[in-house]
């Protein structure tokens, strides 16, 4: 592998005895995983009957029109259901939520249906101001607005309506990544400090109070980190979610 982190193309060229040739290439992501990334858990919302933040920062949200339904394990009241019309969770904006160096968003998520337009499970100022995750008819899209521009990353996997996924979206200052069920699904290069916003953090809506692109589906165990998670930390979140002790400490094992 190359000795520097980054995105690289590996190209294979085949030539036959007549001198005819063909080529194909694959893009690979090279990362140094020898050291654990450093940072904080900014917020953790189990979404189990309320919009309370279990982290030490207590960025509590307010739920409107949300139903509390079974989670991926079938446990009653352990996931938030957004009706796609008016349901939302709103978290008051503050300086802590406007960290800029890096970002990881992790959750369990299930969409009821794939629409011909994007629906927004998570947004902080949306693509115009800061970041968002949206679901279209063919992809999950992660968008980050930095000092170097706005960048979209679409999943390679087309989500299946009615199926739970463990979703992690990462921006680490060098690249953007989408992980589904513990596997790297898509990535692209991007740089720059994440822009700040004056909008409240929203779940189930594009922007607070705007219902045109509301999310219809369920979500649980939503966490926000100010750094890029390692593969081991992604696995931990997927397998264990986050306990009260881990949430208050702000560190994943």
């Amino acid at each position: 592998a190359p000795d520097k982190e980054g995105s690289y193309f590996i190209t294979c060229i085949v030539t036959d005895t007549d001198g005819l040739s063909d080529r194909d290439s694959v893009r690979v992501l090279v990362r140094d995983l020898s050291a654990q990334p450093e940072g904080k858990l900014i917020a953790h919302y189990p979404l189990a009957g309320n919009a309370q933040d279990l982290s030490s920062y207590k960025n509590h949200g307010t739920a409107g029109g949300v139903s509390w339904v079974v989670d991926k394990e079938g446990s009653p009241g352990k996931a938030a259901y957004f009706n796609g019309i008016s349901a939302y969770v709103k978290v008051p904006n503050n300086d802590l939520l406007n960290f800029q160096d890096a970002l990881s968003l992790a959750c369990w998520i299930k969409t009821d249906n794939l629409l011909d337009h994007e629906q927004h499970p998570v947004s902080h100022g949306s693509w115009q101001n800061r970041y968002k995750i949206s679901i279209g008819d063919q992809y999950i899209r992660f968008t980050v607005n930095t000092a170097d521009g706005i960048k979209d990353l679409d999943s390679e996997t087309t989500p299946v309506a009615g199926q739970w996924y463990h979703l992690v979206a990462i921006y680490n200052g060098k690249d953007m990544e989408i992980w589904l069920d513990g596997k790297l699904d898509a990535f692209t290069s991007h740089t720059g400090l994440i822009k700040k916003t004056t909008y409240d953090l929203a779940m189930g809506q594009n922007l607070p109070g705007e219902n045109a692109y509301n999310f219809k589906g369920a979500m649980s165990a939503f966490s926000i980190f100010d750094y890029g998670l390692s593969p081991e930390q992604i696995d931990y979140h997927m397998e264990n979610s986050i306990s009260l002790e881990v949430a208050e400490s702000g560190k994943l094992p």
Side-chain angles (χ1 to χ4, degrees):
D3 58 3
K4 292 184 179 180
E5 291 186 324
S7 298
Y8 296 88
F9 283 97
I10 297 175
T11 302
C12 178
I13 303 173
V14 179
T15 303
D16 65 15
T17 55
D18 294 325
L20 301 175
S21 66
D22 199 2
R23 68 170 60 202
D24 202 355
S25 62
V26 61
R27 193 178 189 184
V28 297
L29 177 64
V30 177
R31 288 176 60 183
D32 180 6
L33 301 177
S34 60
Q36 284 286 83
E38 295 185 1
K40 302 186 296 295
L41 172 70
I42 299 298
H44 175 63
Y45 304 93
L47 298 175
N50 58 58
Q52 298 295 292
D53 169 23
L54 293 190
S55 81
S56 60
Y57 300 111
K58 307 304 179 187
N59 289 298
H60 300 315
T62 301
V66 173
S67 302
W68 308 104
V69 298
V70 297
D71 65 4
K72 66 180 182 64
E73 303 293 344
S75 301
K78 297 296 186 179
Y81 179 77
F82 300 87
N83 60 18
I85 301 171
S86 58
Y88 66 88
V89 169
K90 182 173 66 174
V91 180
N93 191 48
N94 57 52
D95 290 339
L96 181 67
L97 293 173
N98 276 281
F99 53 88
Q100 294 188 277
D101 292 332
L103 165 72
S104 292
L105 307 171
C107 66
W108 282 97
I109 194 166
K110 176 183 71 171
T111 181
D112 275 8
N113 45 36
L114 303 177
L115 306 175
D116 58 1
H117 62 78
E118 293 181 58
Q119 46 183 319
H120 293 71
V122 177
S123 173
H124 194 190
S126 196
W127 62 269
Q128 303 98 320
N129 300 277
R130 186 161 166 79
Y131 67 76
K132 58 89 171 164
I133 293 175
S134 60
I135 300 175
D137 60 348
Q138 296 292 326
Y139 53 79
I140 298 170
R141 174 170 287 176
F142 175 41
T143 307
V144 179
N145 189 334
T146 76
D148 291 344
I150 301 169
K151 194 70 171 280
D152 293 326
L153 174 62
D154 293 346
S155 64
E156 296 289 337
T157 298
T158 298
V160 176
Q163 179 174 323
W164 281 101
Y165 293 92
H166 185 259
L167 169 65
V168 180
I170 294 173
Y171 171 69
N172 61 18
K174 298 178 181 178
D175 58 70
M176 298 167 61
E177 305 167 18
I178 291 176
W179 293 69
L180 290 177
D181 295 336
K183 297 180 180 179
L184 179 62
D185 186 80
F187 62 90
T188 189
S189 299
H190 195 37
T191 58
L193 293 177
I194 305 169
K195 288 192 175 180
K196 296 182 178 182
T197 184
T198 58
Y199 283 99
D200 291 337
L201 174 68
M203 299 175 222
Q205 291 184 322
N206 176 26
L207 294 171
E210 297 185 9
N211 295 319
Y213 300 99
N214 279 23
F215 172 57
K216 187 175 184 181
M219 186 163 61
S220 67
F222 174 51
S223 306
I224 304 172
F225 304 84
D226 67 356
Y227 66 100
L229 296 180
S230 69
E232 292 80 11
Q233 291 169 330
I234 292 171
D235 283 343
Y236 180 88
H237 189 280
M238 181 174 64
E239 296 296 334
N240 304 285
S241 184
I242 294 181
S243 66
L244 177 61
E245 180 181 0
V246 170
E248 290 181 340
S249 73
K251 297 288 185 181
L252 287 181

